[in-house]
Structures are given as structure tokens and as C-alpha cells.
């Protein structure tokens, strides 16, 4: 994690808030560093993390995580991390029986309806342990990223419904946190993405926005973060 | 301000944005209605009941009836906790309630309903909901139904926004400057208001933690509203240590400059300006230049290509050698 970002947000892994939806947004720059930050932050905070990773492979996140002081391999082996590798699962889905439920079931359907299977995967991954004694501090759902679901044919309202249910379950019932990255298309006039971004903006407790510099590309300075709550 | 919003009755549309949220004003209006003795029905789609009731004291909370569409609006959990019939049936159930007392109905939010229901169906149901005071034959003339609808205007196109606006008795658009919130209020039914009240007005306000409303005088005079938060408000070329601009003289010199790839009469090399000079290869003695070969120079001017052929010995080594052309 980045200590500078913790200072800006006035938080530490020991004092992480609960029951919050944090929206990560990037415009004209790459905001994936925020995803890596929160992944390492919540693993260090001893939270149980369900990571829906649709953009990169497990090894990519693991390599970056090691530089930030966490081992995703160790976290997955001890049950702290549930990792849905979208790139791998998207291929597997076409080689298994159609009756078997799959989180990315919408890829098989001609008319991608809703993300209920994905929600049920998250719900199962983060459900409290049967022993009654919590091994982990609180559940956290991390999604990288939601904009790619629009590119895969899911409607903005369906994605908003998915986040709605995750909020109801993870944030309200289990007092956990949800962190999701959405790209800002800016001047591209992507209506669906704008609905998703603004809809999540109304639901979020904290919005972290990474913007490129107004003067253009710079080798040493990539952008500036803005936060609003 | 709250009294003037609730007085006309009917639908009060609260239009907010991500930057200027409207749920606090909605809760302030709900508190005002509850303090006036009205029962308040809330159709909650976006926040949980616990989160919505936060900030209200027990007296206010006892007058709130929360219809929970947040927990399981689409019946995904299949636990039986979802409201039967989904969001439309929940909305129609509010139309069928038989509470005799004055009542306020809060829709949090109309945007969620508009994203999940057809616009025409929603408008018809809202129209029926807003006109309930004329539907109940035994209601006294003073009793009205107040419908408060929270609408996130960035989520919808002009068509649905216009349709909902046409149904509203009062429309409140939230904005602000420099952290100071304002409400632009438009009264669509002027004949139902006191004569001294203007058809539209702008009020600067702040909502206190207990959801009381405090009117403000307005923002500082020197503050400028930023219409698009995504566009930078400062010129990036200010405070630079180098000059990016051109003076008038420099601009004129730049505009009058002819570029190398542009053909012009000044740049012609011979009788015809369209001839393209070709490259010639020539062995030149160190102390000789092209000017000493007048025939070769003429070939260049006419644009002809000339090339030396090498003999067994270097041409320049032979006494009295003459260049020849191919």
C-alpha cells in the first residue's frame, strides 16, 4: 500500500472504516495503482478479501502485491483471499456443462441479463464462517474493474444492481467494505458508462478520482488524485 | 423555505447531482412533515432503513413508515423478505393505503424507480399518487398528500426528466458554489401559492446534523461557479518559466515563412521552377570544386542526372581527363 495515500485519507490498516462503498475512478490516466493499494491495505488489515479481477492475471497482481508487502499466494492459501481470475474463468466457462452455475454466466448468454450469479459467488465467498468466531476482521469486496462489464455486454443498470446487492450484503449486513474501479470516459460520450459512474457516485461514501495532468502527458508525473466524500 | 415547498402539495421534485446531494434536503422535508403531525411513508430503494433513520430522534422516527426496497428489490435472495410484486407493486400499494390522516410519501429515489420501471408506468402511478387528495371522498379540503421525489438528474435523458417535471407542482434543483449549497425553486402552479410568492427563487441553505434547515446569505461575491467540475478552472500555461506565446512580429514572420516542401517562385533553381534537382555523384579532386566544371554545372541547372563512370584507374589520376556523362 502507499503510505502517502493513507495519510491523505487519514486512515491506517488498524483503523479501517467499515460499511463503506469506495468508488475509484480514473480519467486520462491509469488508476489501477489504487486497486493495488486497497488490495494490499485490506490484506494487511486482516480482512477477508474477495477480489473480482477481470483485467489482469493473478500473477500480475501478485507481483505488484509483493512490491507492496503482501503475498497473494499466501493469502489465498490460508483462505484470506478469494480470487476470481476473470481472464482464466472466461475461457473455462465455455468448456464446462451449461447447467453448472458460473460467476461469469452472462458470457454464455446471448442476452446478458443480470449479474446474479456473480453476486452469489461474492456472497458465498464472503459469508461468515460457521464456527461463529471471526478469523478475519471484516469482509471486503474489490472489483477491477466495472467498466469492462459494460464492454462485455452487460447493461449499466445490471451492473448497478450487482453493486446494490453487494452493498446490501457486504456493507450493511456484514459491515464490510466494497471498493470498485470505474473508468471515466470523459469526452467519449459513453452514455452507459456515464450512467454507471454517476449512479455509483450517488451510492458511494468516498470517491477517489485519479486524473491525468491538464497539460498532457508527463514522464515523471502521471496525474493527480482527488477525493470527495 | 421548507413550508413554501410543502404548502402547494402534490409532487415536489428534488433534482440533485453527485456533487450536490439531495438526500439531506429530503430528510429535512420529512422531518418538517413529521413535526407537523403527518405520517410519512418512505419507499427506500437506495439506502438501508438504519442508514435512513440516522439523525432523526425517536419522536420523528415513530412517524416514519419505511417500505424497504433496499434489501432485496429484485428477489435475488429468495428468502421471502422482498416486497411482494417488486418495486411497481410497492409503489401502487402506496396509492391504495387508507390512512385517514394527512400523509407525506417520500420516494428515495425516483431515479432508481425510473431505471427499473418504464417511464410511462412510473408517471401514471406518480400522477395517481399525487392526486390522492381528490380521490378520497371523505377527506377534508385541508388534507393533502405531499409526494417528495429525489431525482439524480445526471442519470436520465431530457425526455424522462421533462415528463417528471411536468408532473411536479414544485421543482427544486440543487447546486452550489464554493461549498455553499443552493436550491433553485420553481413553482409550477402559481395560482395555488400566496400572491406575494415569486414563481421561482434561489435560496442558499445548509442542513444541520439534526436535519434542520438554516438559510444562508449566499456565497462570497468573488466566487465563480465552475459549471463542469471535470474541466480545469486554471490556465495551465500560467506560471511557466518559459515563453509559449508569440509576439505580433514573430507571428507575422512565421506566417510569411515559406516551408521547404512548398514550391514558390523565389525558390526556383532554373528556367522552369518545376524541375526537381537530381542528385549527382562526382569524384572531385580535393582542390577542385563544381564551379570549375561549367558543363557539369549546366547539367545540374537543367535538372539532368549525371554520373561518373570509373575506369581502371581513378579518372582524376589521368592527365587532362574530362568527365563524361551517361
Amino acid at each position: 500500500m502507499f503510505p502517502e495515500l493513507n495519510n491523505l485519507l487519514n486512515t491506517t490498516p488498524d483503523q479501517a472504516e467499515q460499511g463503506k462503498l469506495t468508488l475509484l475512478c480514473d480519467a486520462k490516466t491509469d488508476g489501477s495503482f489504487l486497486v493495488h493499494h486497497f488490495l494490499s491495505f485490506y490484506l494487511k488489515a486482516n480482512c477477508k478479501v474477495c477480489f473480482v479481477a477481470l483485467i489482469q492475471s493473478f500473477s500480475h497482481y501478485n507481483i505488484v502485491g509483493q512490491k507492496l508487502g503482501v503475498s497473494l499466494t499466501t493469502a489465498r492459501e490460508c483462505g484470506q483471499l478469494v480470487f476470481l481470475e476473470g481472464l482464466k474463468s472466461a475461457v473455462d466457462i465455455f468448456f464446462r456443462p451449461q447447467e453448472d452455475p458460473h460467476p461469469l454466466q452472462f458470457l454464455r448468454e446471448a442476452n446478458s441479463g443480470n449479474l446474479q450469479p456473480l453476486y452469489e459467488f461474492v456472497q458465498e465467498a464472503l459469508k461468515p464462517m460457521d464456527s461463529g468466531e471471526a478469523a478475519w476482521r471484516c469482509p471486503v469486496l474489490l472489483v477491477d474493474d466495472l467498466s469492462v462489464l459494460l464492454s462485455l455486454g452487460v447493461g449499466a443498470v445490471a451492473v448497478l444492481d450487482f453493486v446494490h446487492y453487494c452493498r446490501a450484503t457486504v456493507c450493511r449486513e456484514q459491515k464490510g467494505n466494497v471498493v470498485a474501479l470505474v473508468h471515466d470516459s470523459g469526452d467519449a460520450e459513453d452514455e452507459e458508462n456515464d450512467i454507471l459512474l454517476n449512479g455509483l457516485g450517488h451510492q458511494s461514501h468516498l470517491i477517489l478520482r485519479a486524473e491525468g495532468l491538464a497539460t498532457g502527458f508527463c514522464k515523471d508525473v502521471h496525474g493527480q488524485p482527488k477525493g470527495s466524500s | 423555505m421548507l413550508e413554501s415547498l410543502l404548502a402547494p402539495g402534490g409532487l415536489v421534485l428534488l433534482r440533485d447531482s453527485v456533487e450536490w446531494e439531495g438526500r439531506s434536503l429530503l430528510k429535512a422535508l420529512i422531518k418538517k412533515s413529521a413535526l407537523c403531525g403527518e405520517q410519512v411513508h418512505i419507499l427506500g430503494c437506495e439506502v438501508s432503513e438504519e442508514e435512513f433513520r440516522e439523525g432523526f430522534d425517536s419522536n420523528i422516527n415513530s412517524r416514519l413508515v419505511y417500505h424497504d426496497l433496499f434489501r432485496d428489490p429484485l428477489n435475488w435472495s429468495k428468502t421471502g423478505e422482498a416486497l411482494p410484486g417488486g418495486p411497481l407493486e410497492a409503489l401502487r400499494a402506496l396509492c391504495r393505503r387508507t390512512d385517514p390522516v394527512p400523509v407525506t410519501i417520500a420516494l428515495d429515489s425516483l431515479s432508481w424507480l425510473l431505471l427499473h420501471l418504464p417511464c410511462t408506468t412510473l408517471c401514471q402511478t406518480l400522477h395517481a399518487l399525487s392526486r390522492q387528495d381528490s380521490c378520497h371522498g371523505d377527506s377534508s379540503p385541508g388534507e393533502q398528500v405531499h409526494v417528495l421525489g429525489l431525482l439524480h438528474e445526471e442519470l436520465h435523458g431530457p425526455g424522462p426528466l421533462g415528463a417528471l417535471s411536468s408532473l411536479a407542482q414544485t421543482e427544486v434543483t440543487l447546486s452550489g458554489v464554493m461549498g455553499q449549497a443552493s436550491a433553485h425553486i420553481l413553482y409550477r402552479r402559481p395560482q395555488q401559492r400566496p400572491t406575494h410568492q415569486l414563481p421561482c427563487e434561489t435560496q442558499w441553505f445548509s442542513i444541520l446534523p439534526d436535519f434542520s434547515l438554516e438559510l444562508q446569505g449566499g456565497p462570497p461575491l468573488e466566487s465563480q461557479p465552475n459549471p463542469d467540475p471535470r474541466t480545469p478552472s486554471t490556465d495551465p500555461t500560467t506560471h511557466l518559466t518559459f515563453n509559449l506565446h508569440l509576439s505580433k512580429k514573430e507571428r507575422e514572420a512565421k506566417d510569411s515563412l515559406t516551408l521547404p516542401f512548398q514550391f514558390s517562385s523565389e525558390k526556383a533553381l532554373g528556367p522552369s521552377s518545376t524541375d526537381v534537382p537530381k542528385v549527382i555523384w562526382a569524384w572531385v579532386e580535393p582542390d577542385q570544386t563544381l564551379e570549375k566544371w561549367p558543363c557539369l554545372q549546366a547539367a545540374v541547372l537543367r535538372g539532368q542526372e549525371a554520373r561518373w563512370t570509373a575506369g581502371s584507374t581513378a579518372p582524376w589520376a589521368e592527365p587532362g581527363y574530362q568527365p563524361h556523362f551517361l
Side-chain angles (χ1 to χ4, degrees):
Chain A
M1 63 181 181
F2 300 106
E4 299 83 0
L5 198 49
N6 286 341
N7 293 337
L8 280 175
L9 299 175
N10 195 26
T11 184
T12 61
D14 299 328
Q15 301 168 351
E17 286 187 307
Q18 294 181 224
K20 306 292 181 190
L21 168 63
T22 300
L23 175 63
L24 310 177
C25 174
D26 60 11
K28 295 182 183 175
T29 189
D30 183 9
S32 59
F33 72 97
L34 294 170
V35 174
H36 295 295
H37 166 80
F38 280 101
L39 177 60
S40 61
F41 177 88
Y42 283 116
L43 286 176
K44 287 185 179 181
N46 203 35
C47 296
K48 176 149 190 186
V49 178
C50 175
F51 188 10
V52 177
L54 304 173
I55 302 296
Q56 299 282 1
S57 64
F58 176 82
S59 61
H60 171 85
Y61 293 104
N62 193 28
I63 290 169
V64 178
Q66 284 173 357
K67 294 181 181 177
L68 295 178
V70 293
S71 169
L72 300 196
T73 307
T74 306
R76 186 166 62 174
E77 286 170 358
C78 70
Q80 185 186 11
L81 174 66
V82 176
F83 193 96
L84 174 63
E85 190 168 355
L87 292 174
K88 197 171 162 187
S89 301
V91 176
D92 290 342
I93 192 175
F94 295 105
F95 298 100
R96 49 193 291 167
Q98 198 164 355
E99 301 77 30
D100 292 350
H102 193 280
L104 304 182
Q105 187 69 27
F106 65 90
L107 290 173
R108 294 195 71 144
E109 295 163 358
N111 182 20
S112 54
N114 58 50
L115 295 174
Q116 184 176 354
L118 186 59
Y119 160 70
E120 288 169 353
F121 168 83
V122 171
Q123 188 184 29
E124 181 65 28
L126 293 178
K127 71 177 181 183
M129 295 173 61
D130 293 335
S131 62
E133 185 178 337
W136 313 108
R137 189 169 157 194
C138 67
V140 173
L141 169 64
L142 187 59
V143 184
D144 180 23
D145 58 59
L146 291 174
S147 295
V148 76
L149 293 173
L150 300 180
S151 305
L152 292 171
V154 184
V157 177
V159 181
L160 286 173
D161 289 340
F162 164 71
V163 177
H164 177 112
Y165 268 86
C166 290
R167 260 199 319 135
T169 303
V170 178
C171 295
R172 191 190 74 94
E173 284 180 21
Q174 299 175 5
K175 299 293 184 283
N177 295 322
V178 175
V179 181
L181 174 65
V182 177
H183 300 300
D184 186 353
S185 54
D187 299 331
E189 296 186 357
D190 186 341
E191 195 176 312
E192 287 277 289
N193 198 73
D194 289 343
I195 291 174
L196 176 62
L197 186 60
N198 290 319
L200 289 179
H202 282 282
Q203 298 180 28
S204 305
H205 298 91
L206 173 67
I207 302 173
L208 281 179
R209 185 180 170 88
E211 294 179 343
L213 296 177
T215 47
F217 175 76
C218 176
K219 183 182 169 187
D220 300 313
V221 181
H222 299 155
Q224 56 194 7
K226 275 203 291 192
S228 57
S229 60
Chain B
M1 172 175 143
L2 296 178
E3 294 85 358
S4 63
L5 289 177
L6 293 173
L11 174 62
V12 178
L13 199 60
L14 303 178
R15 298 172 61 148
D16 73 348
S17 59
V18 175
E19 194 179 5
W20 302 101
E21 61 89 19
R23 187 165 287 112
S24 302
L25 181 59
L26 175 69
K27 291 174 80 167
L29 288 167
I30 287 172
K31 177 181 174 179
K32 184 70 180 174
S33 296
L35 287 175
C36 292
E38 293 186 14
Q39 193 175 47
V40 182
H41 289 262
I42 301 153
L43 187 61
C45 312
E46 292 191 350
V47 296
S48 64
E49 182 172 358
E50 293 80 10
E51 190 175 338
F52 196 90
R53 288 181 182 274
E54 252 179 69
F56 290 136
D57 58 27
S58 55
N59 179 34
I60 304 293
N61 271 321
S62 63
R63 292 201 159 268
L64 305 187
V65 179
Y66 196 86
H67 304 266
D68 193 351
L69 260 186
F70 172 77
R71 192 184 306 179
D72 190 7
L74 307 176
N75 200 23
W76 283 8
S77 299
K78 307 252 185 322
T79 57
E81 293 179 340
L83 288 181
L88 182 59
E89 191 50 39
L91 193 58
R92 285 176 174 161
L94 291 175
C95 295
R96 291 193 295 266
R97 34 142 224 102
T98 55
D99 304 88
V101 298
V103 68
T104 294
I105 296 173
L107 305 175
D108 181 18
S109 64
L110 270 176
S111 285
W112 192 97
L113 293 170
L114 196 53
L115 289 176
H116 292 84
L117 299 173
C119 183
T120 50
T121 308
L122 178 61
C123 289
Q124 287 166 358
T125 312
L126 273 180
H127 183 65
L129 198 62
S130 305
R131 296 191 66 237
Q132 280 185 322
D133 55 337
S134 60
C135 294
H136 295 290
D138 56 347
S139 62
S140 63
E143 294 177 354
Q144 290 180 330
V145 173
H146 300 108
V147 181
L148 309 174
L150 180 61
L151 188 67
H152 310 311
E153 55 182 5
E154 316 109 315
L155 300 186
H156 312 287
L161 288 178
L164 289 173
S165 291
S166 65
L167 289 175
Q169 298 279 354
T170 310
E171 197 170 322
V172 182
T173 305
L174 292 161
S175 61
V177 169
M178 300 289 289
Q180 182 64 59
S182 71
H184 182 75
I185 306 169
L186 179 65
Y187 301 97
R188 291 189 175 273
R189 303 288 186 265
Q191 61 273 15
Q192 296 178 3
R193 295 173 297 104
T195 52
H196 64 274
Q197 199 169 34
L198 296 171
C200 65
E201 59 179 342
T202 298
Q203 295 271 11
W204 297 89
F205 68 96
S206 60
I207 307 286
L208 301 177
D210 65 347
F211 296 105
S212 306
L213 189 135
E214 188 177 77
L215 291 178
Q216 304 289 335
L221 288 175
E222 61 272 11
S223 61
Q224 295 289 333
N226 191 7
D228 185 356
R230 290 186 292 188
T231 57
S233 57
T234 56
D235 182 7
T237 60
T238 55
H239 308 301
L240 289 177
T241 57
F242 50 90
N243 184 21
L244 279 180
H245 304 285
L246 295 175
S247 65
K248 186 180 174 186
K249 195 174 174 184
E250 288 169 336
R251 193 175 297 281
E252 287 171 359
K254 178 190 163 205
D255 292 338
S256 61
L257 179 66
T258 306
L259 295 173
F261 53 82
Q262 287 175 328
F263 296 103
S264 63
S265 56
E266 292 103 11
K267 294 171 75 174
L269 295 180
S272 168
S273 63
T274 58
D275 285 349
V276 178
K278 297 294 177 67
V279 175
I280 61 167
W281 299 347
W283 285 313
V284 179
E285 288 185 282
D287 59 343
Q288 287 187 340
T289 61
L290 280 176
E291 286 77 16
K292 295 185 181 177
W293 301 331
C295 58
L296 184 59
Q297 195 174 17
V300 170
L301 290 175
R302 285 196 296 275
Q304 292 180 8
E305 187 174 45
R307 190 169 58 191
W308 290 108
T309 56
S312 58
T313 57
W316 59 79
E318 295 178 356
Y321 77 92
Q322 290 289 334
H324 53 275
F325 303 89
L326 294 178

